[in-house]
């Protein structure tokens, strides 16, 4: 088995790829606590909890991501993270603000979508009831 010095990390959201690049290590949070992954770490799968993921990139810089619940899969030199919501920040202080703004906005949009769906469902039920009364 050959030793590799970096790994390809991809962070996917339902509608787009949030990040794809090379990293030398990363830290993330599962339900049983924080963990770190290096390129030659054994293959690994876990569920992520809402938290911050830190990537150490091959150029020596560090990237931070605020992630919602998700799934983390490491297989060979590839790491794939899928999550419903996520934001990318340059540092922890800006990330906190991004998470607050983005997730609150997403929650409001989801609330509006659920409300519209409820109105649509209620309209369908009302029309079916009217049709049944018309047939009697």
């Amino acid at each position: 088995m050959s030793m590799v010095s970096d790994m390809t990390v991809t962070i996917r959201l339902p509608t787009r790829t949030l990040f794809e690049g090379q990293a030398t290590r990363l830290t993330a949070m599962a339900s049983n606590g924080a963990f770190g992954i290096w390129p030659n770490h054994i293959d690994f799968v876990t569920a992520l909890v809402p938290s911050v993921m830190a990537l150490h990139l091959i150029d020596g810089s560090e990237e931070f991501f605020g992630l919602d619940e998700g799934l983390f899969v490491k297989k060979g030199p590839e790491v794939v993270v899928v999550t419903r919501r996520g934001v990318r920040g340059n540092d922890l202080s800006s990330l906190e603000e991004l998470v607050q703004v983005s997730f609150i906005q997403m929650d409001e949009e989801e609330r509006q979508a659920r409300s519209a769906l409820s109105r649509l469902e209620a309209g369908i039920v009302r029309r079916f009831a009217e049709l049944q009364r018309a047939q009697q």
Side-chain angles (χ1 to χ4, degrees):
M1 181 171 144
S2 66
M3 301 294 276
V4 294
S5 61
D6 62 330
M7 54 194 160
T8 302
V9 178
T10 305
I11 302 173
R12 292 194 176 115
L13 304 176
T15 58
R16 65 186 174 93
T17 297
L18 181 61
F19 175 84
E20 186 165 10
Q22 301 302 116
T24 58
R25 66 183 190 266
L26 66 82
T27 56
M29 183 76 70
S31 60
N32 60 344
F35 64 92
I37 298 288
W38 291 73
N40 294 297
H41 192 282
I42 190 166
D43 291 353
F44 183 73
V45 176
T46 192
L48 298 175
V49 296
S51 59
V52 173
M53 174 184 283
L55 294 180
H56 300 269
L57 305 180
I58 58 174
D59 66 3
S61 65
E62 201 169 25
E63 292 274 346
F64 298 97
F65 299 87
L67 304 177
D68 199 351
E69 296 174 331
L71 184 64
F72 179 98
V73 178
K74 182 194 184 291
K75 182 176 181 200
E78 306 284 327
V79 173
V80 177
V81 174
V82 291
T83 183
R84 196 168 64 103
R85 301 186 293 187
V87 294
R88 181 179 185 172
N90 296 327
D91 56 51
L92 289 174
S93 60
S94 66
L95 182 63
E96 180 180 11
E97 186 177 322
L98 278 170
V99 166
Q100 297 249 347
V101 170
S102 297
F103 285 19
I104 288 170
Q105 178 183 346
M106 288 178 199
D107 286 342
E108 177 60 21
E109 290 170 357
E110 288 175 4
R111 187 194 62 74
Q112 289 174 357
R114 281 192 301 275
S115 177
L117 184 58
S118 293
R119 287 191 304 275
L120 181 61
E121 290 171 344
I124 290 170
V125 168
R126 201 170 25 259
R127 287 199 171 92
F128 276 131
E130 289 170 2
L131 284 172
Q132 281 186 324
R133 280 194 298 267
Q135 290 177 351
Q136 293 175 354

